[in-house]
Amino acid sequence: MTTTRLLLVGVALGILSGAVVTWAFYFSDDLSIRQLMYWLMGSVGGVSWYQHILTLVMIPLGFGCV
């Protein structure tokens, strides 16, 4: 994959993810918007311990694939 193609794929994915977030804001009520904002800022308040452990296991595996 060339550098230009990689850059364009990254821009396209950024635009698509921004569109999904905008869609989520548009169709949310007040409480959901507040929770979505906390999640976008990095909050893991509503996550169980199982999900924390699963994330800690997956992070090194993800770095190993890169």
Side-chain angles (χ1 to χ4, degrees):
M1 187 175 267
T2 65
T3 305
T4 305
R5 183 174 285 180
L6 185 62
L7 181 64
L8 290 174
V9 167
V11 169
L13 288 176
I15 290 171
L16 286 174
S17 64
V20 169
V21 169
T22 302
W23 180 81
F25 276 122
Y26 183 76
F27 289 107
S28 297
D29 59 358
D30 290 339
L31 179 61
S32 296
I33 289 175
R34 186 177 308 135
Q35 291 173 340
L36 181 59
M37 283 300 299
Y38 288 144
W39 180 76
L40 287 172
M41 290 188 288
S43 173
V44 290
V47 179
S48 69
W49 281 106
Y50 172 75
Q51 291 167 325
H52 280 294
I53 292 171
L54 185 63
T55 302
L56 290 175
V57 169
M58 291 301 193
I59 288 173
L61 291 175
F63 281 121
C65 293
V66 174

